[in-house]
Amino acid sequence: MTYVYPVVSRRAGGVSVGINLNPNNACNWRCVYCQVPGLTRGAAPEINLSLLEHELASFLHELMHGDFMATRVPESARRINDIALSGNGEPTSAKAFVEVIGLIGRAVARFGLTGKIKLILITNGSLMDKAYVQDGLHQMRTLNGEVWFKLDSATREGLRRINHAKLSPERVFANLQAVASQCATWLQTCLFVIDGTPPSALEQQAYLDFVRRIVSAGVPVQGVLLYGLARPSQQPEAPRLSALPADWLEAFAEKIRARGLAVRVSV
């Protein structure tokens, strides 16, 4: 299908219905660890809303009334866990973002899933100040909405080096406040070794100071989804990257917890 795809997650114990609003492999960031081949800088294309609505309804029908669960999903994961706006670029760059949330709401209601599953937005958070994104987040709140907000670095230099993003930490913090006021929000952080070196002491301290500021300001962040490199990057920097040891990630997670946020670690 063009927009809809399944992800079977043993860890979540269910099926995530993915929605890719960037089938053109375009994103306004270029993270060095990105797994999208042929990634280009840009925005989501015009969305064929009727096709997306048809694909979503067809797949939900297959999950609930067809043989997909029985033939392709382990018995322990035969449930719909969520619908996730993710894919091959930044989903909030789709100008029809509000309309997309609306059609998801109609599909969830049609299949009796309102309040039973989550609607997750996986985002780099760079467009949270846009009025149409705020309108979409407002609608998401009525659909058990949850946002995973990317924060790989809390320094201007790190944001440029890792995400190729021209944002300041101040702008990131303001965007985080904007989204957390609308939906349950988790920080999503990828840490790794680059050129044989783990995140520097300066980078670590800046991140921990950012967490401390979140807590002190009362920004309602649920916690941090901390993870490392699980699959090879498809970007030119790939040969320079490698995974951190699991005990390094866990030790850093403890430092985050000590500053007041919960952490889930995935290696």
Side-chain angles (χ1 to χ4, degrees), residues 103-252:
L103 73 82
I104 293 172
R106 291 193 297 273
V108 167
R110 174 181 170 184
F111 288 92
L113 296 171
T114 304
K116 298 178 181 178
I117 65 172
K118 291 181 179 180
L119 172 56
I120 298 175
L121 169 65
I122 301 175
T123 176
N124 62 31
S126 61
L127 303 175
M128 295 297 109
D129 58 329
K130 303 298 183 184
Y132 73 92
V133 177
Q134 282 289 303
D135 289 345
L137 292 171
H138 184 73
Q139 289 192 34
M140 279 187 61
R141 184 164 54 185
T142 68
L143 297 170
N144 201 17
E146 182 173 292
V147 176
W148 296 2
F149 184 107
K150 183 183 296 295
L151 180 69
D152 297 326
S153 172
T155 70
R156 187 186 294 269
E157 297 74 21
L159 288 163
R160 286 178 178 267
R161 184 179 66 255
I162 297 169
N163 308 118
H164 288 86
K166 296 179 180 180
L167 286 179
S168 68
E170 286 298 320
R171 170 50 59 186
V172 174
F173 190 83
N175 287 345
L176 179 62
Q177 287 180 305
V179 66
S181 67
Q182 296 276 18
C183 293
T185 300
W186 289 79
L187 295 180
Q188 183 178 228
T189 298
C190 182
L191 298 180
F192 48 90
V193 172
I194 184 165
D195 295 329
T197 305
S200 67
L202 184 151
E203 280 287 332
Q204 293 180 53
Q205 190 58 54
Y207 188 99
L208 295 171
D209 289 345
F210 195 94
V211 169
R212 189 192 302 275
R213 184 180 177 191
I214 289 170
V215 175
S216 297
V219 182
V221 171
Q222 307 299 303
V224 178
L225 306 173
L226 183 65
Y227 66 107
L229 295 181
R231 302 188 186 95
S233 166
Q234 296 296 318
Q235 304 310 305
E237 294 85 356
R240 301 168 55 199
L241 311 181
S242 58
L244 286 162
D247 58 355
W248 194 104
L249 284 174
E250 188 54 52
F252 192 64

Side-chain angles (χ1 to χ4, degrees), residues 47-129:
I47 306 299
N48 185 331
L49 294 169
S50 60
L51 177 60
L52 171 55
E53 191 156 16
H54 171 73
E55 289 186 359
L56 180 58
S58 297
F59 189 60
L60 288 174
H61 183 273
E62 173 64 21
L63 287 177
M64 298 183 71
H65 306 294
D67 63 0
F68 185 92
M69 290 289 195
T71 60
R72 304 191 191 186
V73 180
E75 188 173 356
S76 60
R78 289 176 185 168
R79 54 181 287 273
I80 303 173
N81 188 70
D82 59 73
I83 295 173
L85 286 158
S86 180
N88 295 356
E90 174 51 41
T92 63
S93 68
K95 298 305 182 186
F97 183 68
V98 176
E99 290 80 4
V100 169
I101 301 301
L103 73 82
I104 293 172
R106 291 193 297 273
V108 167
R110 174 181 170 184
F111 288 92
L113 296 171
T114 304
K116 298 178 181 178
I117 65 172
K118 291 181 179 180
L119 172 56
I120 298 175
L121 169 65
I122 301 175
T123 176
N124 62 31
S126 61
L127 303 175
M128 295 297 109
D129 58 329

